[in-house]
């Protein structure tokens, strides 16, 4: 599926792969709003982050603590990936056979890097669940995890700064959708995540 | 087909003689000729123009030669650099290069230049025009400038008169900075910075030229008497064809006049970029691959050792490469890593990869999987050159945790209330 992307890129100069956003688990957990960019059935779906950026894809590095196999005919795997701020719920099904095989092979616990698509689900009680459909997952080392925390903290702080100064359409939309967002919360989230890395 | 452009051209031509044409009627005639009768657009234009000329009692541009000197009324004599698509022009210039005609419908093609610049020209076989010689000066009356692949192109048709003129000026063009090149004809003084793998059978050489202001891709096609340029050497390249593709320029110097120069120039390194990010995808076709051994081909073969040009090649050559996406969180960059970069990054060299490919039950797939597991999701700093939306990576190094960066971010996060 994603394997055809580079070829598309070469043929059609205008093709741009959606970048993988860096987001901490506790920010993704706060997401309530997703939208399609375009009318087409194949138009990409974006989850709007409370700090005002759209994400069609995210890159996370954390500790895979659990994985479970589910389903009888349609097997899929669920897993939990922990970062310094919370938990990401990841899943890979038969539509992502490679990702599913990779996930099936990994012994928990392990540091993993995950590239995937965020999705929001509304549960029967009205609350939301953000989960990540895995495109690729690999075992990495602690150095990579620490680099990710720095990277994600930097991007989170960039977004928090932009909230105060920029009036991009996505930021305006985020302020509408998440009226109670307090930028200080996300600044502290970044600080706490950084503080968990040993000097 | 859009007739308004042709109509506009015809209208402009006649308005110069103070005549107003009925656009609707002209467009209708063009449509009828082209759509209903399958007439070539250029022929339709000529025939409609002639008909109008007769109507207005103006000597027609296309009325069999000879009237040359008197027919100048509809066109102006111009400096070559001023010739714009849509113009009917008369100009004087020197034929600085001739190219092999690409089709039997073309009698001659090449580049004609004066002190102001150069333009590509095409002489149609049907025009029965005077055969021009390279290095000689000519006066070309009533030719049309159109556009071919975004480049101005002087068309010599049956209404054009060519006369040789006495002039022996050496005509040495002023090289322009690479940064200022525009599609058309250009001259540069530049150094060959890189030589690339040729991607086509008919290609003699391709690579990168650079001067103080920038870099540009160049290509030389195989033609008798053409020689490769030497990497690291400075050349003056006169009257190269500047093409534009995907908003990037490239120089076709096959028919250009090339002179080796003394000395050196410090080339702009502005084209070299560094991108730091995470590798988020390794594309199929990465790992160990087989290449076509035919000299000058070097294409990647299919699993069945099939080259799209040279068919089955059992004596293929192994190579390593990684194609993938490098993502900095804001933008995703298409990257291509060559063998030495792959070896340094993965710790797997070509011999080891060959060993795995030949002895492991998964064969070449095993190399792909092992390399993927070593690089996917990792933070790297890639340096290289971005060409056609792809970063050709010269060095790729793993990034490491830096406590200085950590402290800086802690300050930034805790610095504001």
């Amino acid at each position: 599926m994603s394997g055809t992307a580079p070829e598309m890129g070469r043929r059609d100069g205008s093709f741009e792969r959606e970048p993988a956003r860096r987001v901490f688990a506790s920010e993704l957990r706060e997401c309530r709003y997703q939208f399609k960019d375009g009318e087409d059935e194949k138009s990409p779906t974006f989850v709007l982050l409370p700090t005002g950026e759209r994400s069609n894809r995210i890159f996370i590095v954390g500790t895979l603590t659990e994985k479970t196999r589910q389903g009888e005919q349609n097997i899929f795997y669920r897993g939990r990936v922990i970062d310094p701020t919370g938990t990401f719920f990841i899943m890979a099904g038969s539509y992502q056979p490679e990702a599913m095989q990779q996930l099936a092979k990994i012994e928990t616990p392990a540091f993993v890097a995950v590239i995937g698509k965020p999705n929001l689900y509304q549960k029967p009680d009205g609350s939301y669940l953000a989960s990540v459909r895995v495109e690729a997952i690999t075992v990495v080392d602690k150095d990579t995890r620490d680099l990710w925390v720095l990277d994600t903290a930097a991007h989170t702080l960039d977004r928090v700064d932009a909230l105060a100064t920029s009036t991009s359409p996505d930021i305006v939309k985020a302020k509408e959708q998440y009226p109670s967002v307090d930028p200080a919360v996300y600044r502290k989230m970044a600080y706490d995540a950084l503080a968990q890395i040993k000097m | 087909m859009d007739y308004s452009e042709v109509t506009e051209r015809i209208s402009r031509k006649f308005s110069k003689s103070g005549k107003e044409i009925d656009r609707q009627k002209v467009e209708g005639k063009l449509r009828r000729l082209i759509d209903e009768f399958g007439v070539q657009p250029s022929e339709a234009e000529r025939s409609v123009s002639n008909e109008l000329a007769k109507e207005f009692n103006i000597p027609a541009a296309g009325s069999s030669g000879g009237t040359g000197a008197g027919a100048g009324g509809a066109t102006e004599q111009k400096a070559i650099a001023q010739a714009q698509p849509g113009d009917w022009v008369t100009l004087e210039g020197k034929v600085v290069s001739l190219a092999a005609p690409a089709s039997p419908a073309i009698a001659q093609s090449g580049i004609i230049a004066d002190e102001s610049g150069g333009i590509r020209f095409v002489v149609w076989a049907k025009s029965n025009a005077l055969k021009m010689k390279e290095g000689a000066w000519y006066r070309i009356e009533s030719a049309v400038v159109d556009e071919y692949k975004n480049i101005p192109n002087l068309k010599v048709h049956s209404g054009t008169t060519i006369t040789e003129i006495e002039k022996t000026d050496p005509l040495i063009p002023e090289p322009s900075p690479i940064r200022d090149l525009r599609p058309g004809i250009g001259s540069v003084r530049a150094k060959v910075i890189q030589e690339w793998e040729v991607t086509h059978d008919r290609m003699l050489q391709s690579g990168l030229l650079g001067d103080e202001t920038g870099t540009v891709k160049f290509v030389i096609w195989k033609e008798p008497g053409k020689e490769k340029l030497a990497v690291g050497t400075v050349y003056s390249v006169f009257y190269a064809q500047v093409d534009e593709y995907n908003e990037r320029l490239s120089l076709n110097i096959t028919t250009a006049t090339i002179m080796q120069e003394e000395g050196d120039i410090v080339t702009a390194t502005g084209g070299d970029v560094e991108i730091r990010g995470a590798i988020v995808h390794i594309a199929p076709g990465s790992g160990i691959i087989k290449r076509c051994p035919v000299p000058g081909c070097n294409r990647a073969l299919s699993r069945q050792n099939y080259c799209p040009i040279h068919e089955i090649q059992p004596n293929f050559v192994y190579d390593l490469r990684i194609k993938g996406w490098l993502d900095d969180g804001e933008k995703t960059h298409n990257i291509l890593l060559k063998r030495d970069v792959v070896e340094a990054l993965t710790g797997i060299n070509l011999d080891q990869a060959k060993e795995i490919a030949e002895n492991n039950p998964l064969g070449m797939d095993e190399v792909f999987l092992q390399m993927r597991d070593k690089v996917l999701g990792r933070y790297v700093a890639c340096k290289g050159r971005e060409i056609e939306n792809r970063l050709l990576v010269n060095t790729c190094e793993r990034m490491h945790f830096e406590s200085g960066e950590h402290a800086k971010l802690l300050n930034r996060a805790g610095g504001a209330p």
Side-chain angles (χ1 to χ4, degrees):
Chain A
M1 190 176 75
S2 54
T4 60
E7 273 64 44
M8 282 178 66
R10 205 179 325 162
R11 205 175 49 233
D12 168 16
S14 67
F15 172 79
E16 279 208 27
R17 183 182 156 109
E18 286 294 333
R21 303 298 183 186
R22 316 296 204 250
V23 56
F24 285 121
S26 56
E27 180 172 1
L28 191 67
R29 198 183 55 198
E30 296 301 317
C31 292
R32 298 286 177 272
Y33 179 67
Q34 67 184 353
F35 62 98
K36 265 184 164 235
D37 191 15
E39 304 294 303
D40 214 338
E41 193 190 331
K42 291 203 171 151
S43 304
T45 300
F46 294 88
V47 168
L48 186 64
L49 303 178
T51 47
E53 192 158 57
R54 59 174 68 193
S55 64
N56 165 263
R57 174 177 279 129
I58 61 175
F59 175 59
I60 56 186
V61 183
T63 313
L64 180 74
T65 55
E66 268 182 57
K67 58 163 191 193
T68 46
R69 192 183 126 150
Q70 292 187 328
E72 286 298 321
Q73 255 124 39
N74 291 309
I75 299 168
F76 66 99
Y77 274 81
R78 282 186 193 288
R80 295 168 72 92
V81 176
I82 313 296
D83 81 355
T85 71
T87 305
F88 292 103
F89 301 97
I90 65 169
M91 58 160 298
S94 46
Y95 287 112
Q96 304 88 35
E98 255 188 74
M100 191 170 80
Q101 286 161 26
Q102 284 171 279
L103 180 54
K105 267 197 312 205
I106 298 172
E107 298 273 345
T108 55
F111 284 122
V112 291
V114 177
I115 296 103
K117 304 251 184 187
N119 276 292
L120 287 182
Y121 301 98
Q122 195 163 20
K123 292 192 282 191
D125 65 0
S127 63
Y128 286 87
L129 176 74
S131 91
V132 181
R133 194 154 38 77
V134 181
E135 291 179 301
I137 178 169
T138 48
V139 175
V140 296
D141 54 7
K142 183 172 177 301
D143 214 24
T144 302
R145 201 286 307 259
D146 291 349
L147 280 166
W148 179 81
V149 174
L150 297 193
D151 190 22
T152 305
H155 275 98
T156 303
L157 292 171
D158 287 348
R159 293 197 296 269
V160 170
D161 289 348
L163 264 185
T165 57
S166 162
T167 52
S168 79
D170 285 353
I171 285 178
V172 172
K173 209 187 283 174
K175 285 178 174 165
E176 265 167 46
Q177 295 293 331
Y178 308 104
S180 59
V181 156
D182 179 3
V185 171
Y186 293 97
R187 192 174 288 280
K188 184 165 186 308
M189 180 193 296
Y191 183 87
D192 290 347
L194 289 166
Q196 283 190 41
I197 299 178
K198 297 267 179 335
M199 296 285 255
Chain B
M1 145 138 210
D2 182 20
Y3 302 101
S4 58
E5 201 182 305
V6 183
T7 310
E8 169 64 23
R9 194 151 59 219
I10 295 174
S11 155
R12 216 174 311 145
K13 189 180 143 200
F14 283 99
S15 68
K16 278 175 188 154
S17 327
K19 304 287 182 194
E20 214 38 57
I21 64 161
D22 180 345
R23 280 165 179 268
Q24 227 173 340
K25 213 165 129 194
V26 165
E27 230 177 288
K29 276 183 187 161
L30 287 168
R31 175 167 297 129
R32 186 144 191 270
L33 283 169
I34 295 167
D35 284 352
E36 278 178 46
F37 294 97
V39 174
Q40 289 293 317
S42 57
E43 185 57 28
E45 179 176 350
R46 200 189 70 99
S47 124
V48 171
S49 297
N50 282 352
E51 198 181 320
L52 285 164
K54 225 175 264 169
E55 214 177 299
F56 293 134
N57 215 1
I58 301 172
S63 64
S64 56
T67 55
T75 63
E76 314 170 49
Q77 181 159 347
K78 285 201 171 188
I80 286 177
Q82 258 112 56
Q84 294 296 324
D87 288 351
W88 283 66
V89 293
T90 290
L91 46 82
E92 290 183 359
K94 178 181 175 181
V95 174
V96 294
S97 82
L98 285 171
S103 135
I106 295 172
Q108 277 191 308
S109 72
I111 293 163
I112 186 160
D114 64 11
E115 289 76 4
S116 71
I119 189 168
R120 197 167 57 175
F121 70 84
V122 168
V123 181
W124 295 105
K126 279 194 301 193
S127 71
N128 288 322
L130 177 71
K131 204 160 176 74
M132 294 187 279
K133 293 188 294 282
E134 195 167 326
W137 284 78
Y138 296 91
R139 176 178 171 84
I140 298 181
E141 285 174 74
S142 300
V144 184
V145 183
D146 67 356
E147 220 173 30
Y148 181 68
K149 290 182 180 165
N150 288 330
I151 296 178
N153 191 38
L154 184 75
K155 276 208 295 203
V156 173
H157 51 88
S158 54
T160 309
T161 315
I162 301 178
T163 38
E164 188 165 356
I165 51 178
E166 287 296 319
K167 212 169 173 183
T168 47
D169 295 20
L171 196 64
I172 294 179
E174 188 63 31
S176 72
I178 286 179
R179 196 179 46 203
D180 296 344
L181 285 175
R182 296 286 173 271
I185 302 296
S187 302
V188 297
R189 182 174 178 275
K191 182 158 87 172
V192 181
I193 306 178
Q194 284 177 13
E195 182 174 6
W196 299 336
E197 283 170 8
V198 296
T199 53
H200 196 283
D201 265 353
R202 286 183 40 236
M203 197 183 276
L204 179 68
Q205 190 182 30
S206 79
L208 203 66
L209 284 170
D211 69 4
E212 296 84 347
T213 66
T215 57
V216 64
K217 175 183 160 179
F218 77 91
V219 58
I220 306 176
W221 296 94
K222 279 183 185 162
E223 262 180 34
K226 297 295 162 202
E227 280 176 33
K228 288 189 182 185
L229 306 185
V231 176
T233 306
V234 177
Y235 295 92
S236 281
V237 179
F238 297 135
Y239 304 120
Q241 186 172 313
V242 189
D243 293 313
E244 189 176 21
Y245 180 69
N246 276 348
E247 293 175 17
R248 280 167 197 279
L249 298 181
S250 75
L251 283 185
N252 177 349
I253 62 174
T254 311
T255 61
T257 307
I258 299 167
M259 280 168 18
Q260 191 173 329
E261 297 281 335
E262 299 289 319
D264 198 4
I265 33 184
V266 184
T267 53
T269 48
D272 238 355
V273 291
E274 182 186 72
I275 296 163
R276 291 164 170 255
I279 296 178
V280 294
H281 181 67
I282 304 294
S286 299
I288 191 164
I289 57 162
K290 300 165 177 176
R291 289 195 183 276
C292 179
V294 173
C297 178
N298 212 29
R299 279 185 183 74
L301 302 179
S302 77
R303 294 205 154 233
Q304 289 74 37
N305 303 334
Y306 185 86
C307 168
I309 303 295
H310 305 103
E311 312 209 330
I312 301 293
Q313 293 291 331
N315 298 317
F316 53 80
V317 186
Y318 276 123
D319 195 8
L320 300 177
R321 74 170 176 198
I322 287 180
K323 298 195 290 181
W325 292 94
L326 178 64
D327 189 311
D328 62 12
E330 306 297 328
K331 190 174 172 358
T332 311
H333 304 263
N334 194 202
I335 53 171
L336 178 64
L337 279 56
K338 297 176 300 184
R339 176 182 151 194
D340 54 332
V341 182
V342 173
E343 288 179 333
L345 184 67
T346 62
I348 300 173
N349 66 31
L350 184 59
D351 287 338
Q352 290 163 323
K354 232 187 279 184
E355 166 80 24
I356 297 166
E358 282 167 2
N359 298 320
N360 190 287
L362 282 181
M364 293 164 64
D365 287 347
E366 179 65 19
V367 178
F368 174 88
L369 294 173
Q370 287 193 19
M371 288 190 173
R372 185 194 64 189
D373 289 348
K374 282 183 189 323
V375 302
L376 187 65
R378 300 329 194 271
Y379 280 94
V380 294
C382 284
K383 278 186 205 160
R385 202 166 278 281
E386 211 154 18
I387 286 151
E388 275 148 28
N389 291 324
R390 168 177 283 188
L391 186 72
L392 302 179
V393 179
N394 293 325
T395 63
C396 182
E397 281 168 5
R398 288 281 296 273
M399 282 168 59
H400 294 288
F401 181 78
E402 284 170 36
S403 49
E405 188 62 25
H406 185 207
K408 219 161 75 186
L409 281 165
L410 273 170
N411 275 336
R412 187 179 164 200

